[in-house]
Amino acid sequence: METVIIQPKRQKFEILFMLISIVAIVGVASGLIAISKIQKEESVKLKSYQIDAFLDLEGNDQGIFTDLHAAVRVIEALHIEYGERWPTVSELSTTEQLSPFVEDLVWKERGKHKWTLFNQDQGNVHRAIYVGKSFDENAAGNFLILSEHFHTIDGSYYKGVNKEFPFSIWYSKKWELPNSSNISDGTLIPSGWKEIIARTGYDELKRLGRQ
């Protein structure tokens, strides 16, 4: 049996056409990715009362925020685990060993924050404010977590005003706190507090995109 290999008459042109097609596909894909990125960046615009976690914070402030952003999710879970009770500062520090509440060497270097819990549970609305006052303004500013759950009669619950974003983290270089019984977005902003936005991850992009 004889095998005959027939070479295409226009082999060079076919190879060239293939290369051009590949370059075109890559170019279109890159363009679409770039457009998508630009559209997302345009939608991620900070409000006047918001600051960027990674552009506007630095040093100890950025470290504390990073710890808080992780800790608040643990606090959310503990609220349910503790029988719909917000964990105390002491429990977060000693029992749970949760940073930045633990008073260790890092805590001392970052401003020795004194944390206070203001519990504002009312009926099916479970709301907690954890406030950290810095004792060394040169080391770090002041921080505040505002977290809330809405519990239904049948025992189920959802988090946050819009069900998707159950907490916010706030920052202020100068200590000025509204009345503890009336801490909210509306009272924090006039007092000079800034909501910290972490512009990383789909959830944060979605949060800013809806505002």
Side-chain angles (χ1 to χ4, degrees), residues 87-129:
T88 65
V89 172
S90 177
E91 288 171 330
L92 293 177
S93 174
T94 58
T95 305
E96 304 298 336
Q97 291 285 299
L98 196 62
S99 294
F101 302 95
V102 179
E103 297 184 3
D104 54 11
L105 181 59
V106 175
W107 170 82
K108 292 180 180 179
E109 293 176 347
R110 286 179 171 178
K112 300 180 181 179
H113 287 73
K114 176 177 174 56
W115 291 93
T116 304
L117 166 62
F118 297 108
N119 192 324
Q120 297 182 354
D121 291 356
Q122 293 184 355
N124 66 328
V125 180
H126 292 195
R127 196 162 181 269
I129 295 100

Side-chain angles (χ1 to χ4, degrees), residues 41-192:
E41 288 178 349
E42 288 178 347
S43 67
V44 182
K45 294 181 180 178
L46 298 180
K47 301 288 187 179
S48 60
Y49 60 85
Q50 296 174 327
I51 57 176
D52 189 297
F54 301 102
L55 295 179
D56 300 315
L57 295 181
E58 55 186 35
N60 290 332
D61 287 331
Q62 196 173 92
I64 293 172
F65 170 75
T66 300
D67 286 347
L68 284 177
H69 200 265
V72 71
R73 300 177 185 278
V74 177
I75 293 173
E76 294 280 335
L78 290 175
H79 173 63
I80 304 303
E81 184 179 321
Y82 283 15
E84 299 183 2
R85 174 180 67 80
W86 297 104
T88 65
V89 172
S90 177
E91 288 171 330
L92 293 177
S93 174
T94 58
T95 305
E96 304 298 336
Q97 291 285 299
L98 196 62
S99 294
F101 302 95
V102 179
E103 297 184 3
D104 54 11
L105 181 59
V106 175
W107 170 82
K108 292 180 180 179
E109 293 176 347
R110 286 179 171 178
K112 300 180 181 179
H113 287 73
K114 176 177 174 56
W115 291 93
T116 304
L117 166 62
F118 297 108
N119 192 324
Q120 297 182 354
D121 291 356
Q122 293 184 355
N124 66 328
V125 180
H126 292 195
R127 196 162 181 269
I129 295 100
Y130 292 87
V131 182
K133 181 179 180 181
S134 174
F135 277 81
D136 185 354
E137 293 185 357
N138 293 322
N142 309 292
F143 288 83
L144 181 148
I145 297 174
L146 196 160
S147 181
E148 57 187 6
H149 284 186
F150 290 74
H151 296 256
T152 58
I153 296 176
D154 63 3
S156 61
Y157 73 96
Y158 62 85
K159 304 175 182 180
V161 176
N162 292 297
K163 299 186 180 183
E164 297 178 357
F165 306 101
F167 66 87
S168 55
I169 301 176
W170 297 74
Y171 173 84
S172 178
K173 196 64 178 176
K174 295 183 179 180
W175 178 256
E176 184 177 346
L177 189 68
N179 187 291
S180 60
S181 62
N182 188 31
I183 296 177
S184 65
D185 296 13
T187 58
L188 288 171
I189 295 171
S191 299

